[in-house]
Amino acid sequence: GAVVSQHPSWVICKSGTSVKIECRSLDFQATTMFWYRQFPKQSLMLMATSNEGSKATYEQGVEKDKFLINHASLTLSTLTVTSAHPEDSSFYICSPYRGVNNEQFFGPGTRLTVL
Amino acid sequence: QQQVKQSPQSLIVQKGGISIINCAYENTAFDYFPWYQQFPGKGPALLIAIRPDVSEKKEGRFTISFNKSAKQFSLHIMDSQPGDSATYFCAARTTDSWGKLQFGAGTQVVVTP
């Protein structure tokens, strides 16, 4: 399978601060990056889709000004949670995708806790 | 509205037994059906996947059965082991969805010694 890394693996921050999460695909180039959020005991919820060099497309109900996504290269994407609040506490997972008919892999996830 | 319905929500099986998880879908345009295994605090790991031109796929102790006419697919875990205790998600995707997966709600499997 593909090698995907996320950094940090967990982060605790104060309410009102911003947090940046990095996702790297280490052994392939991802034309598309998906960002998911997962609350305890729930399924994965797609937040946004981004293509390298383009603006991200956000799912309904996801605030684009709060969750900033940058997909500057084919191996790196970042998700910045701006002015984080306790309700943003969740498990964030990236999923780089190579393209049509390819398998889809996930990063190890980042646990965000906002106090 | 969940496009992929997964059952059961949870499952307890004895070591050596068979775990069976079922998923159903409505969108006949789905053409890729993966299963993911997720341990607590970890990202989902691709376990096995199938395309609709095949009725069954086996990899080790894991088998996907696919019934295109019934729009159902299932995961069978043979000879279940305590290390298989995890949450399993089925998913589905269309070719023109640019990789966007539709996930089931997940099944928590507990294998008792």
Side-chain angles (χ1 to χ4, degrees), chain A residues 2-7 22-25 28 33-36 38 44 91-96 104-110, chain B residues 36-38 41-45:
Chain A
V3 181
V4 183
S5 72
Q6 276 186 244
H7 179 80
E22 284 189 358
C23 174
R24 294 180 184 272
S25 55
F28 72 95
M33 185 70 75
F34 299 99
W35 284 94
Y36 289 83
Q38 186 179 35
L44 287 80
F91 194 51
Y92 292 88
I93 313 168
C94 66
S95 177
Q104 195 158 342
F105 301 96
F106 288 81
T110 295
Chain B
Y36 290 89
Q37 178 189 56
Q38 187 179 31
K42 305 293 183 183

Side-chain angles (χ1 to χ4, degrees), chain A residues 3-22:
Chain A
V3 181
V4 183
S5 72
Q6 276 186 244
H7 179 80
S9 56
W10 59 270
V11 57
I12 301 173
C13 69
K14 292 183 178 180
S15 184
T17 60
S18 295
V19 174
K20 180 184 282 188
I21 302 169
E22 284 189 358

Side-chain angles (χ1 to χ4, degrees), chain A residues 34 38 43 59 101-102 104 108, chain B residues 36 38 43 51 93 98-99 104:
Chain A
F34 299 99
Q38 186 179 35
S43 188
E59 295 298 301
N101 290 329
N102 275 294
Q104 195 158 342
Chain B
Y36 290 89
Q38 187 179 31
R51 297 193 186 274
R93 181 180 79 193
W98 299 101

Side-chain angles (χ1 to χ4, degrees), chain B residues 10-73:
Chain B
S10 61
L11 180 61
I12 299 175
V13 62
Q14 283 192 329
K15 179 182 175 181
I18 303 173
S19 303
I20 301 175
I21 306 170
N22 300 300
C23 285
Y25 63 95
E26 287 298 324
N27 187 350
T28 55
F30 285 145
D31 61 2
Y32 175 69
F33 302 88
W35 284 89
Y36 290 89
Q37 178 189 56
Q38 187 179 31
F39 293 105
K42 305 293 183 183
L46 179 63
L47 199 58
I48 187 172
I50 198 168
R51 297 193 186 274
D53 53 344
V54 178
S55 62
E56 185 176 282
K57 184 175 181 180
K58 184 177 181 179
E59 289 186 3
R61 296 184 294 107
F62 301 92
T63 300
I64 298 179
S65 296
F66 186 82
N67 187 329
K68 189 173 181 178
S69 60
K71 292 184 285 186
Q72 295 176 347
F73 58 110

Side-chain angles (χ1 to χ4, degrees), chain A residues 73-93:
Chain A
S73 77
L74 291 172
T75 59
L76 172 64
S77 177
T78 60
L79 167 67
T80 301
V81 183
T82 62
S83 186
H85 289 106
E87 58 266 29
D88 299 323
S89 298
S90 188
F91 194 51
Y92 292 88
I93 313 168

